[in-house]
Amino acid sequence: MFVKSICIGLMSAVTLLYQQAASAEPAPSDVQVMLVEDGEAVHYRGGLDESAISRVEDLIKNADGRVKRLVIDSAGGEINLGMDLAGLVVKNGLDVVVDRLCASSCANYVFPAGKIKRITPNALVLWHGSAIQEGIEQVPATEDHPTFDGMALSPLEKRQVLESAREKYAQYISDAQARQEAFFKRLGVDARVTVMGQQLKVAQEWTLSPEDMAYFGIHNVTASADYGQTLPEYARERGVKWLRLVDYPNYLK
């Protein structure tokens, strides 16, 4: 029973590590969700959060069909939460308007789910990996956790904890990959948009022009004429790159 409780507790830590690795930055606690534009839009600001997504669902349900758009500013979050929010967008036929930033799971799932996608001036859609990125199956390191709730673990207990963590983490990733594959198939999106920079080994974080997004199956995107060519200051500071398929003509072949 003691070892079982250790496994459960450590798996929570492993999952948390993965959630943080899968997002541009950890989800903040002050997520804001509200109706705006005379009830025709839901504004979502902050990291992907289960309770906040439930709030979005409630607002849409109670609006009697008035909600037409999801306006979002989010650094992303855990894979399944991204697909949960994207599912609401698809189910209700909403447009998606990016206000400042849509990154990580927001870019992967929420943005492509929009009926019409609009990137406002100075806003950015930012990809940096997904459930299929190289090395995602590797369990986050846990060997440096010598104690659990203040109690030292024996070598045998550590080994049992790590074996359990690896098995459960592998299942978590496998389930996420299957769900992502089904989601993109439904939308007609090529999942390589989420890993392009990494596979080409040219960028850890990147954006694309609306024209190149269309090659990956992300259609009906509107943005300023110079979108991607002039990145916001915060994006330049973190090394975001504007990738162009014309520079990598064999990538989608």
Side-chain angles (χ1 to χ4, degrees):
M1 181 64 69
F2 173 65
V3 172
K4 181 180 179 181
S5 66
I6 294 175
C7 292
I8 294 172
L10 190 51
M11 268 310 300
S12 297
V14 170
T15 302
L16 177 60
L17 284 171
Y18 175 68
Q19 290 172 355
Q20 293 175 346
S23 62
E25 55 191 66
S29 58
D30 57 344
V31 180
Q32 298 176 1
V33 176
M34 65 188 76
L35 277 176
V36 295
E37 302 176 22
D38 295 325
E40 290 192 358
V42 172
H43 195 290
Y44 189 111
R45 184 183 299 276
L48 297 176
D49 174 84
E50 185 175 3
S51 61
I53 293 171
S54 294
R55 172 67 173 157
V56 172
E57 184 174 22
D58 290 341
L59 288 174
I60 294 172
K61 283 182 178 179
N62 296 330
D64 298 323
R66 295 195 310 275
V67 175
K68 307 298 182 186
R69 295 176 294 283
L70 174 69
V71 181
I72 191 161
D73 174 6
S74 176
E78 195 266 337
I79 287 175
N80 290 289
L81 293 179
M83 286 186 274
D84 288 345
L85 183 55
L88 292 177
V89 172
V90 173
K91 178 181 178 181
N92 294 281
L94 303 182
D95 297 340
V96 171
V97 180
V98 178
D99 177 21
R100 195 186 74 89
L101 180 65
C102 180
S104 185
S105 290
C106 179
N108 291 351
Y109 315 115
V110 182
F111 182 71
K115 188 175 181 180
I116 294 175
K117 303 94 170 160
R118 182 162 65 89
I119 307 171
T120 61
N122 298 316
L124 182 67
V125 176
L126 174 63
W127 286 278
H128 76 134
S130 70
I132 62 169
Q133 70 189 56
E134 184 178 353
I136 195 70
E137 296 88 354
Q138 183 177 353
V139 180
T142 53
E143 284 84 352
D144 55 351
H145 289 266
T147 64
F148 179 79
D149 285 346
M151 303 180 69
L153 305 183
S154 69
L156 174 60
E157 290 166 341
K158 276 189 181 182
R159 186 162 57 252
Q160 290 174 317
V161 168
L162 293 172
E163 288 174 356
S164 176
R166 290 189 181 98
E167 181 179 328
K168 293 178 181 179
Y169 183 77
Q171 186 62 55
Y172 170 79
I173 295 301
S174 177
D175 291 345
Q177 289 173 336
R179 187 181 181 189
Q180 175 177 293
E181 181 179 6
F183 179 78
F184 283 146
K185 183 177 181 179
R186 179 182 181 186
L187 294 185
V189 171
D190 187 330
R192 286 177 292 181
V193 70
T194 69
V195 292
M196 178 183 177
Q198 296 165 350
Q199 289 186 336
L200 291 171
K201 302 186 186 306
V202 295
Q204 288 301 311
E205 296 182 303
W206 62 92
T207 193
L208 303 168
S209 70
E211 293 76 19
D212 280 353
M213 292 180 194
Y215 279 104
F216 288 96
I218 304 174
H219 301 286
N220 301 319
V221 178
T222 61
S224 58
D226 64 346
Y227 175 79
Q229 301 173 44
T230 304
L231 295 171
E233 182 179 357
Y234 71 86
R236 295 195 304 271
E237 290 176 348
R238 62 194 281 171
V240 175
K241 293 185 178 180
W242 177 44
L243 300 185
R244 305 187 308 163
L245 283 172
V246 68
D247 295 327
Y248 309 97
N250 296 319
Y251 182 63
L252 290 183
K253 292 182 179 180

